[in-house]
């Protein structure tokens, strides 16, 4: 066969799909793939297991074999581009992947080439390996010419070198390997059906019923698979609240979440932070009704210090190798959650449990899992990716988990982000093309079922054990243009779904004006005013006859739905007319309860300084475009405090970073801070109405509260009862906060939904500029 390849190469005849007519000697991706697969004598399949839609039948089995052995990847999850001309850089990457070498080759090997800046690959280590193995050689002038297209005569030389090197490396992958696929979802937040309960209408942007199509497709591609979930499952939409308050889960009853998961044959789930929102008793009832392992290694009984939940699970699998032979494989899965739960749900967890740092928990249980015979270990981490700097007890530590020797793959979440994804490109040791952090395959599959995370591991037999020879993490996005769903999921949650729809349609009041949150991050907004007024109404009545009755009462709200990482449809949008429960949930999306805090004027100001960290610092002398809102600052942390007036000076630096750490001790953005027209006395005491999430957090100012008054009453209930009593509201902004006017004409911009342009009011200083992407648009604002 190799003789045929050689003759074809020398003669200039095509041995694959047609190449460009411009130079028939130039080689395409498809031609090279076929040539190297034939030369390496890989066994060919029927060509149906790959997901590429642009590979024809004549090439399909070769691409399938090359992908199976880790030689090639798609340009996307579904495109291979077989007719794309192949550069030298790409050809030598493919060639290098064909050789399994235990030696480590430094990236500095690429420095010997005069044109080293011409390399474009993210796989510098692999390319350096091809140099170290003497497969990739430069020209006599000292250049590599990595972007030059290879020609047919060079194909023989490259493959000859591969065959020569292979003979010196007997460990080269053979057919005695197993491909294992790990699939994962995260942060579903009760979005099982492709339905927006707030708008009371179907939609196609998310929903487990759509993710299920990706799951089944991925399963067909590789029968050696497991399916995992990373928590934040039972809370998030009105359906979650419905199963708590309206149709409470009974002992032994299966939560609709697990009815859906059973249909899809999930293998295990780890708890997220929102699983604790309804308390430990309810959570245990949910777990008792599940027919699959639910794990968590970080939450311990406060008294005994024993694990509150099963810390890990061992999944026994029968897998088949390339020859179709069956093997036993034991997969250890450890689940962890951010220790932030102890603050966010202190009222439910305080005195009952404690939470370990996930890094501590994984290091503790990893040896136990290995001792029980785990061939590979997967960590399910409900902790964001974080960064290179580690502080014990911090919220996001997946980066540190990826550094632990013995962890073979990680399913992460909590951030609602995407990994592999450009937002994490700046971190050290991140390989976006391979979906790896510190060499460990990692996936973070967005939120609400928007994506499916997939990690493909290549396992090789090493005596009686298995070793991970290679791996890659990647994402597949649901089809947002199609209304296709997995009807089995819809049917599994039908009763709860229909009950939720009936529940959210119940009327509670009427509004004389349209309520939206499109501009709530850049100006005082009626959507926040409704919340703060309702909270004030409720707590004012509750404080009558108490020692705090005569203290000034302030109310805190935030734009909970403000686009960002949750998409351009994630804004409050309530039309003029009847207000139903679904609209109340649109105003307040979280299952929080009301808390009142007694604080000094000085601490209230620090609270506002923290909130003002939402804004980037603006240079009034610059004419360049300046983005006003810091994308790293979550909108639900932009607290507006009604009952006082104040201005925000964004020309000054922020005092605190998004986590509450001090950046500039002397900074002060909050000016003209007044109560009833007079400057606030730093020692003056106030009562502030907020929620249990904020009161138990680590916000500057908040943590200094002298008294905490907890009400077993949801913030949403306060809004509903307020609307029922008022019957009709006409929400307007009182502009109790504004920006300090800026001299000059800085070009200040921000992002909101494209449809927000229809709600720009005269005199707001806001102007529509242009659409950006995914339903968002850019706006300018005059800071006045």
């Amino acid at each position: 066969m190799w003789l045929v390849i050689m003759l074809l190469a020398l003669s200039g005849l095509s041995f694959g799909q047609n190449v460009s007519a411009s130079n028939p000697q130039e080689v395409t991706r498809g031609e090279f793939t076929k040539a190297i697969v034939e030369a390496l004598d890989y066994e060919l399949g029927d060509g149906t297991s790959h997901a590429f839609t642009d590979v024809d039948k004549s090439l399909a089995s070769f691409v399938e074999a090359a992908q199976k052995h880790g030689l090639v990847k798609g340009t996307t999850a579904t495109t291979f581009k077989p007719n794309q001309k192949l550069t030298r850089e790409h050809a030598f990457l493919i060639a290098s992947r064909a050789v399994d070498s235990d030696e480590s080759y430094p990236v500095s090997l690429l420095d010997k080439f005069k044109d080293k800046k011409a390399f474009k690959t993210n796989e510098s280590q692999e390319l350096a390996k091809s140099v170290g193995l003497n497969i990739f050689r430069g020209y006599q002038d000292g250049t590599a010419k990595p972007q030059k297209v290879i020609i047919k005569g060079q194909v023989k030389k490259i493959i000859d070198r591969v065959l020569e090197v292979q003979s010196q490396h007997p460990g080269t992958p053979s057919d005695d390997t197993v491909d294992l696929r790990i699939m994962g979802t995260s942060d579903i937040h009760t979005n099982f059906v492709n339905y927006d309960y707030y708008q009371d209408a179907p939609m196609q942007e998310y929903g487990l019923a759509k993710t299920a199509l990706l799951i089944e497709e991925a399963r067909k591609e590789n029968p050696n698979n497991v399916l995992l979930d990373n928590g934040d499952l039972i809370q998030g939409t009105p359906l979650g609240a419905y199963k708590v308050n309206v149709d409470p889960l009974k002992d032994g009853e299966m939560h609709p979440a697990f009815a859906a998961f059973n249909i899809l044959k999930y293998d295990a789930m780890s708890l997220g932070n929102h699983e604790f929102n309804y308390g430990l008793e309810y959570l245990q009832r949910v777990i008792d009704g599940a027919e699959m392992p639910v794990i968590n290694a970080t939450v311990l009984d406060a008294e005994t210090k024993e694990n509150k939940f099963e810390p890990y699970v061992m999944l026994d699998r029968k897998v088949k190798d390339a020859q179709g032979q069956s093997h036993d494989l034991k997969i250890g899965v450890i689940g962890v959650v951010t220790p932030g739960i102890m603050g966010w749900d202190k009222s439910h967890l305080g005195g009952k449990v404690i939470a370990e740092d996930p890094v501590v928990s994984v290091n503790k249980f990893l040896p136990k899992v290995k001792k029980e015979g785990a061939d590979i270990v997967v960590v399910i981490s409900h902790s964001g990716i974080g960064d290179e700097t580690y502080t014990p007890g911090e919220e996001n530590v997946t980066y540190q988990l990826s550094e632990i020797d013995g962890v073979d793959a990680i399913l992460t979440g909590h951030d609602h982000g995407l990994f592999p994804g450009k937002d994490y490109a700046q971190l050290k040791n991140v390989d976006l093309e391979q979906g790896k952090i510190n060499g460990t395959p990692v996936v973070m599959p967005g939120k609400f079922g928007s994506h499916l995370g997939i990690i493909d591991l290549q396992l090789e037999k090493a005596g009686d054990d298995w070793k991970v020879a290679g791996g890659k993490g990647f994402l597949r996005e649901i089809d947002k243009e199609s209304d296709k769903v997995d009807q089995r999921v819809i049917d599994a949650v039908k009763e709860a779904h229909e009950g939720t729809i009936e529940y959210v349609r119940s009327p509670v009041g009427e509004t004389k004006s349209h309520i939206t949150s499109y501009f709530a991050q850049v100006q005082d907004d009626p959507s926040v005013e409704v919340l703060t007024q309702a909270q004030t109404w409720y707590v004012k009545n509750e404080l009558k006859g108490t020692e705090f009755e005569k203290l000034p009462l302030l109310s805190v709200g935030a734009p909970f739905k403000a686009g960002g990482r949750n998409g351009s449809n994630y804004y409050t949008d309530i039309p003029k007319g009847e207000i139903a429960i679904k609209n109340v949930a649109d105003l307040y999306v979280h299952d929080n309860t009301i808390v009142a805090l007694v604080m000094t004027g000085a601490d209230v100001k620090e609270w506002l300084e923290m909130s003002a960290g939402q804004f980037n610092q603006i240079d009034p002398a610059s004419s360049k475009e300046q983005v006003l809102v810091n994308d790293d600052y979550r909108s639900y942390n932009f607290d507006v405090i009604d009952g006082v007036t104040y201005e925000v000076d964004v020309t000054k630096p922020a005092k605190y970073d998004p986590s509450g750490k001090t950046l500039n001790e002397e900074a002060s953005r909050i000016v003209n801070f007044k109560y009833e027209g007079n400057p606030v006395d730093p020692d003056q005491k106030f009562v502030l109405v907020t929620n249990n999430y904020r009161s138990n957090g680590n916000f500057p100012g908040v943590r200094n509260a002298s008294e905490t008054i907890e009400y077993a009453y949801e913030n949403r209930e306060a809004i509903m009862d307020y609307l029922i009593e008022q019957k009709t509201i006409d929400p307007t902004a009182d502009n109790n906060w504004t920006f300090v006017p800026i001299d000059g004409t800085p070009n200040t911009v921000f992002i909101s939904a494209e449809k927000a342009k229809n709600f720009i009011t005269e005199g707001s200083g806001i102007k529509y500029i242009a659409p950006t992407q995914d339903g968002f648009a850019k706006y300018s604002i005059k800071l006045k």
Side-chain angles (χ1 to χ4, degrees):
M1 178 59 72
W2 175 236
L3 179 62
V4 174
I5 297 291
M6 183 169 58
L7 291 172
L8 286 172
L10 292 173
S11 67
L13 296 174
S14 173
F15 45 81
Q17 296 184 348
N18 293 332
V19 297
S20 169
S22 60
N23 187 347
Q25 293 299 312
E26 292 180 333
V27 175
T28 65
R29 281 167 54 86
E31 290 176 324
F32 188 79
T33 299
K34 182 176 181 182
I36 196 167
V37 166
E38 289 190 323
L40 295 173
D41 199 25
Y42 286 154
E43 182 177 352
L44 300 180
D46 60 9
T48 60
S49 69
H50 69 78
F52 306 125
T53 58
D54 58 349
V55 174
D56 66 24
K57 292 182 179 179
S58 66
L59 189 61
S61 58
F62 297 98
V63 172
E64 179 183 60
Q67 186 182 38
K68 173 183 173 182
H69 289 274
L71 271 61
V72 299
K73 309 162 187 175
T75 55
T76 71
T78 57
T79 57
F80 182 71
K81 294 189 177 178
N83 295 319
Q84 185 180 71
K85 293 177 182 178
L86 189 71
T87 63
R88 283 170 52 81
E89 178 179 77
H90 196 177
F92 286 113
L93 279 173
I94 294 173
S96 178
R97 294 172 191 145
V99 180
D100 182 26
S101 173
D102 293 330
E103 297 180 50
S104 178
Y105 298 94
V107 176
S108 58
L109 288 174
L110 301 177
D111 293 343
K112 73 176 186 177
F113 298 113
K114 293 179 181 179
D115 55 349
K116 61 182 181 181
K117 291 185 178 180
F119 291 116
K120 295 181 178 180
T121 182
N122 290 325
E123 295 185 73
S124 299
Q125 191 78 51
E126 190 71 53
L127 201 60
K129 172 184 159 188
S130 71
V131 175
L133 291 171
N134 203 29
I135 297 174
F136 190 2
R137 304 169 188 172
Y139 290 88
Q140 290 183 349
D141 62 359
T143 63
K145 296 182 175 55
Q147 305 312 318
K148 185 176 181 179
V149 177
I150 65 168
I151 59 176
K152 289 190 171 72
Q154 295 170 332
V155 173
K156 175 186 180 301
K157 294 180 181 179
I158 295 172
I159 296 181
D160 275 348
R161 294 173 195 168
V162 171
L163 294 174
E164 181 181 356
V165 171
Q166 271 200 342
S167 67
Q168 302 166 6
H169 291 76
T172 300
S174 67
D175 286 334
D176 188 19
T177 61
V178 165
D179 292 328
L180 177 68
R181 170 160 287 183
I182 302 164
M183 300 175 288
T185 54
S186 185
D187 298 275
I188 297 294
H189 285 287
T190 63
N191 287 284
F192 309 121
V193 181
N194 54 323
Y195 197 89
D196 186 334
Y197 294 109
Y198 306 115
Q199 297 302 315
D200 198 8
M203 53 76 205
Q204 308 306 330
E205 285 76 17
Y206 47 81
L208 183 63
K210 294 176 72 71
T211 327
L213 300 177
L214 299 179
I215 292 170
E216 293 310 306
E217 178 186 0
R219 274 202 175 112
K220 290 177 182 177
E221 295 168 2
N222 186 350
N224 301 327
N225 61 69
V226 294
L227 177 60
L228 309 172
D229 182 73
N230 191 26
D232 275 10
L233 176 68
I234 64 172
Q235 178 276 344
T237 71
L239 188 149
Y242 174 80
K243 287 305 298 179
V244 175
N245 302 315
V246 182
D247 181 26
L249 197 67
K250 301 175 183 65
D251 289 339
E253 179 186 352
M254 182 180 291
H255 193 283
F258 290 108
F261 273 20
N262 285 346
I263 288 291
L264 298 178
K265 298 180 180 178
Y266 273 78
D267 294 292
M269 170 203 168
S270 185
L271 299 175
N273 58 291
H274 283 288
E275 262 67 67
F276 297 91
N277 286 169
Y278 304 125
L280 291 170
E281 183 179 346
Y282 181 81
L283 176 56
Q284 192 59 56
R285 198 177 306 141
V286 171
I287 294 174
D288 289 344
E291 294 181 355
M292 56 179 282
V294 178
I295 60 175
N296 174 271
T298 52
V299 178
L300 313 178
D301 185 279
E303 184 176 345
T304 66
K305 303 301 186 291
E306 297 293 324
N307 282 91
K308 187 71 174 176
F309 309 96
E310 292 297 324
Y312 60 88
V313 65
M314 306 295 286
L315 301 177
D316 294 309
R317 285 291 180 274
K318 285 282 187 184
V319 294
K320 290 187 177 181
D321 63 21
Q323 301 290 346
Q325 297 296 314
S326 291
H327 300 270
D328 292 321
L329 187 70
K330 193 177 286 288
I331 305 166
V333 184
I334 303 172
V336 294
V337 69
T338 172
I341 59 172
M342 295 308 301
W344 303 325
D345 281 302
K346 182 179 179 180
S347 60
H348 292 307
L349 307 181
K352 300 175 182 177
V353 295
I354 58 175
E356 279 187 333
D357 185 299
V359 176
V360 173
S361 297
V362 171
N363 277 315
K364 179 170 65 177
F365 285 106
L366 186 57
K368 295 183 180 181
V369 170
K370 288 286 190 180
K371 188 176 181 179
E372 289 187 25
D375 295 300
I376 67 164
V377 177
V378 181
V379 171
I380 306 179
S381 168
H382 202 89
S383 171
I385 288 176
D387 55 29
E388 301 94 331
T389 304
Y390 172 52
T391 303
E394 66 178 301
E395 182 178 353
N396 300 316
V397 294
T398 293
Y399 187 92
Q400 282 68 42
L401 296 176
S402 72
E403 295 177 309
I404 298 175
D405 186 29
V407 173
D408 298 303
I410 301 175
L411 167 62
T412 188
H414 182 57
D415 276 351
H416 292 197
L418 301 174
F419 187 87
K422 61 183 180 180
D423 289 346
Y424 304 98
Q426 79 284 358
L427 294 176
K428 293 180 181 178
N429 300 322
V430 165
D431 184 343
L432 294 182
E433 185 174 344
Q434 289 295 302
K436 293 181 178 180
I437 303 176
N438 295 307
T440 303
V442 177
V443 288
M444 178 186 284
K447 81 289 181 183
F448 310 161
S450 63
H451 293 72
L452 176 68
I454 300 177
I455 295 175
D456 283 338
L457 296 180
Q458 291 79 51
L459 309 179
E460 291 182 1
K461 198 73 173 173
D464 293 331
D465 301 320
W466 291 93
K467 71 172 185 177
V468 178
K472 178 179 181 179
F474 57 98
L475 302 175
R476 289 182 180 172
E477 185 176 12
I478 64 171
D479 187 348
K480 296 180 180 179
E481 304 301 319
S482 169
D483 60 359
K484 289 184 179 179
V485 295
D486 188 326
Q487 189 61 39
R488 297 176 303 162
V489 175
I490 305 291
D491 293 342
V493 301
K494 182 179 180 181
E495 183 178 345
H497 171 63
E498 292 179 348
T500 301
I501 291 176
E502 182 179 357
Y503 163 64
V504 300
R505 287 175 178 171
S506 304
V508 292
E510 186 177 337
T511 175
K512 290 184 177 180
S513 55
H514 203 126
I515 306 172
T516 75
S517 63
Y518 295 119
F519 302 123
Q521 288 181 284
V522 297
Q523 64 182 19
D524 196 30
D525 193 81
S527 66
V528 178
E529 292 278 348
V530 175
L531 163 62
T532 57
Q533 288 170 6
Q535 291 177 163
T536 299
W537 167 82
Y538 174 75
V539 174
K540 186 176 182 179
N541 288 327
E542 292 295 313
L543 290 180
K544 288 179 180 179
T546 72
E547 60 184 301
F548 307 114
E549 180 180 6
K550 295 184 179 181
L551 289 181
L553 183 61
L554 312 179
S555 188
V556 186
F560 295 113
K561 296 184 70 177
R565 60 179 181 161
N566 291 321
S568 60
N569 287 325
Y570 198 73
Y571 290 89
T572 296
D573 193 334
I574 303 171
K576 175 182 176 181
E578 182 181 89
I579 299 178
I581 290 175
K582 64 185 178 184
N583 306 126
V584 175
D586 200 19
L587 280 167
Y588 203 108
V589 300
H590 302 293
D591 299 304
N592 298 139
T593 55
I594 290 180
V595 174
L597 303 173
V598 179
M599 304 172 62
T600 65
D603 288 330
V604 176
K605 182 176 183 297
E606 290 310 299
W607 190 337
L608 289 171
E609 289 287 355
M610 174 64 190
S611 294
Q614 178 196 237
F615 304 112
N616 293 316
Q617 186 174 3
I618 301 300
D619 180 359
S622 174
S623 60
K624 294 182 179 179
E625 183 176 279
Q626 300 180 73
V627 178
L628 179 61
V629 177
N630 180 356
D631 288 339
D632 292 332
Y633 199 101
R634 301 296 184 226
S635 68
Y636 54 74
N637 283 332
F638 177 53
D639 286 342
V640 172
I641 300 182
D642 276 321
V644 289
T645 58
Y646 54 96
E647 294 180 330
V648 183
D649 188 348
V650 292
T651 66
K652 302 287 178 58
K655 185 168 185 177
Y656 300 102
D657 73 4
S659 69
K661 295 178 182 177
T662 302
L663 292 173
N664 302 282
E665 183 65 44
E666 302 303 319
S668 179
R669 283 183 160 183
I670 303 301
V671 298
N672 297 323
F673 179 38
K674 298 180 180 181
Y675 173 69
E676 293 186 340
N678 298 312
V680 171
D681 182 343
D683 296 324
Q684 167 73 58
K685 285 191 174 182
F686 295 88
V687 175
L688 283 89
V689 190
T690 182
N691 58 65
N692 63 302
Y693 175 89
R694 178 65 71 242
S695 69
N696 292 322
N698 200 32
F699 249 44
V702 177
R703 52 197 176 211
N704 296 331
S706 61
E707 299 282 349
T708 299
I709 310 165
E710 297 184 358
Y711 299 97
Y713 187 75
E714 288 192 2
N715 299 73
R716 270 199 300 253
E717 288 183 278
I719 299 173
M720 285 190 282
D721 289 345
Y722 172 73
L723 292 172
I724 290 170
E725 179 176 284
Q726 297 293 314
K727 295 184 176 59
T728 301
I729 61 171
D730 188 9
T732 57
D734 61 7
N735 297 315
N736 71 298
W737 77 269
T738 56
F739 293 108
V740 172
I742 296 180
D743 293 332
T745 56
N747 182 12
T748 312
V749 301
F750 68 96
I751 300 296
S752 187
E754 166 81 8
K755 62 181 115 176
K757 64 185 178 183
N758 300 319
F759 297 93
I760 298 175
T761 58
E762 186 176 353
S764 66
I766 297 173
K767 291 185 179 180
Y768 172 80
I769 298 177
T772 53
Q773 59 182 5
D774 299 327
F776 286 104
K778 183 186 294 185
Y779 297 81
S780 67
I781 181 170
K782 184 176 181 181
L783 303 180
K784 55 181 183 176

